[in-house]
């Protein structure tokens, strides 16, 4: 895995986003409360569970409700494939609200690779999503597809190894690329930059308190959002093999 090539690719995406950004940018503040779990059922299989309670203006109103479940397959201890289903409810919020609340049914697949680079624990996540978006007021859905790549790095604080009862820094960048039929002017539909302080209780449990800079390009390509999101996250992985 060529880390320098990956970083260059990210720089290209960031530059492309900056060049194409329009002046109609809504700046908003949200809070996401999140739970993640990958529960080991056997040496090869596991269950992914996830829920995100996303609120606009800190906690005042709904932004989004997101639930995911999936089946994990451990190729090796450092490589995992997952396929699953997501249920998402999106709400009108902010300066550029959607017309009405709508439901999205999402099928997703991903490949996660873990590696060490010096003191850093590096995580690559490649994800494909097939999205079925409800059209409010009708029984119809539109179909959209996108690809996501997240590069995450974790740095233990005060020590070389990530140990129990210790703090760490976590950072990631993730562009969202739309493709296929129905893509309008927002091929690069979203970009995320994240930085957090984490505390590891055990290999199965950690907390993170972080900041997400979420840049969204709407379907018309003219309206954009820059969301400043406070993220409160809990990871709790169960090992059910014993």
């Amino acid at each position: 895995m060529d880390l320098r090539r990956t970083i260059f690719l990210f720089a290209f995406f960031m530059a492309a986003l900056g060049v194409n950004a329009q002046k109609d940018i809504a700046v908003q503040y949200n809070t996401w409360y999140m739970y993640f779990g990958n529960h080991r059922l056997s040496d090869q299989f596991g269950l992914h569970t996830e829920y995100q309670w996303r609120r606009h203006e800190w906690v005042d109103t709904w932004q989004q409700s997101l639930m995911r479940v999936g089946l994990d397959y451990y190729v090796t201890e450092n490589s995992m494939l997952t396929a699953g289903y997501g249920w998402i409810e999106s709400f009108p919020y902010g300066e550029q609200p959607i017309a009405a609340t709508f439901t999205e049914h999402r099928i997703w697949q991903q490949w996660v690779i873990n590696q060490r680079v010096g003191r850093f624990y590096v995580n690559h996540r490649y994800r494909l999503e097939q999205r079925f978006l409800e059209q409010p007021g009708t029984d119809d859905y539109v179909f959209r597809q996108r690809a996501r790549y997240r590069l995450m790095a974790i740095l233990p604080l005060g020590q070389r190894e990530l140990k129990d009862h210790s703090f760490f820094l976590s950072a990631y960048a993730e562009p969202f690329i739309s493709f296929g039929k129905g893509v309008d002017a927002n091929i690069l539909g979203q970009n995320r930059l994240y930085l957090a302080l984490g505390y590891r209780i055990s290999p199965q449990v950690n907390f993170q308190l972080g900041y997400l800079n979420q840049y969204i390009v709407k379907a018309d390509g003219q309206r954009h959002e820059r969301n400043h999101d406070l993220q409160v996250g809990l990871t709790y992985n169960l090992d059910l093999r014993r």
Side-chain angles (χ1 to χ4, degrees):
M1 187 65 63
D2 191 334
L3 187 59
R4 288 175 297 179
R5 184 177 302 175
T6 300
I7 294 172
F8 174 80
L9 183 62
F10 267 118
F12 173 80
F13 280 131
M14 305 298 179
L17 184 61
V19 168
N20 292 322
Q22 305 297 318
K23 294 182 179 180
D24 188 8
I25 301 175
V27 179
Q28 299 164 138
Y29 299 87
N30 311 296
T31 304
W32 294 7
Y33 303 92
M34 308 177 298
Y35 155 78
F36 305 95
N38 290 92
H39 312 302
R40 202 74 177 258
L41 303 176
S42 68
D43 288 344
Q44 287 190 306
F45 292 98
L47 178 67
H48 175 87
T49 57
E50 174 183 345
Y51 182 72
Q52 299 189 31
W53 188 50
R54 299 177 176 179
R55 304 292 289 181
H56 176 57
E57 292 293 347
W58 309 122
V59 296
D60 285 353
T61 59
W62 273 105
Q63 183 193 24
Q64 198 171 61
S65 173
L66 184 149
M67 180 275 294
R68 289 191 186 94
V69 293
L71 181 64
D72 298 327
Y73 176 74
Y74 292 83
V75 182
T76 68
E77 286 302 310
N78 293 313
S79 178
M80 181 175 68
L81 300 172
T82 305
Y85 165 77
W87 175 84
I88 300 96
E89 194 83 4
S90 297
F91 300 84
Y93 71 93
E95 299 176 23
Q96 301 172 350
I98 57 178
T101 300
F102 71 90
T103 299
E104 175 184 346
H105 301 285
R106 184 182 300 175
I107 309 299
W108 55 280
Q109 309 84 36
Q110 70 181 28
W111 181 25
V112 174
I113 301 171
N114 296 302
Q115 63 178 152
R116 286 293 299 272
V117 180
R119 290 185 59 192
F120 291 92
Y121 292 77
V122 178
N123 174 283
H124 304 268
R125 187 180 74 186
Y126 306 86
R127 178 178 287 177
L128 292 174
E129 296 177 334
Q130 299 83 49
R131 310 171 64 204
F132 300 85
L133 305 161
E134 179 188 19
Q135 301 302 287
T138 74
D139 295 327
D140 296 331
Y141 286 79
V142 297
F143 178 65
R144 297 288 184 268
Q145 299 182 82
R146 68 184 178 194
R148 300 164 55 171
Y149 170 61
R150 188 191 70 186
L151 173 63
M152 173 184 283
I154 292 176
L155 176 66
L157 294 179
Q159 55 198 1
R160 185 173 180 83
E161 303 295 326
L162 188 59
K163 298 180 179 179
D164 295 349
H165 306 292
S166 64
F167 289 95
F168 60 89
L169 290 177
S170 176
Y172 73 72
E174 183 177 23
F176 292 50
I177 308 300
S178 300
F179 65 94
K181 294 183 179 180
V183 176
D184 297 318
N186 64 335
I187 294 176
L188 183 57
Q190 188 175 150
N191 190 68
R192 295 181 179 180
L193 297 173
Y194 173 77
L195 179 64
L197 175 66
Y199 182 76
R200 170 171 148 162
I201 296 175
S202 71
Q204 289 76 38
V205 184
N206 73 73
F207 294 94
Q208 293 190 39
L209 179 65
Y211 164 73
L212 176 70
N213 188 303
Q214 180 191 31
Y215 196 92
I216 299 174
V217 182
K218 300 296 184 68
D220 58 13
Q222 303 299 314
R223 295 172 301 144
H224 298 228
E225 289 183 11
R226 185 177 298 281
N227 291 320
H228 300 285
D229 301 326
L230 174 68
Q231 293 203 341
V232 182
L234 166 66
T235 297
Y236 185 27
N237 301 319
L238 297 174
D239 191 339
L240 303 175
R241 289 176 293 179
R242 294 187 295 272

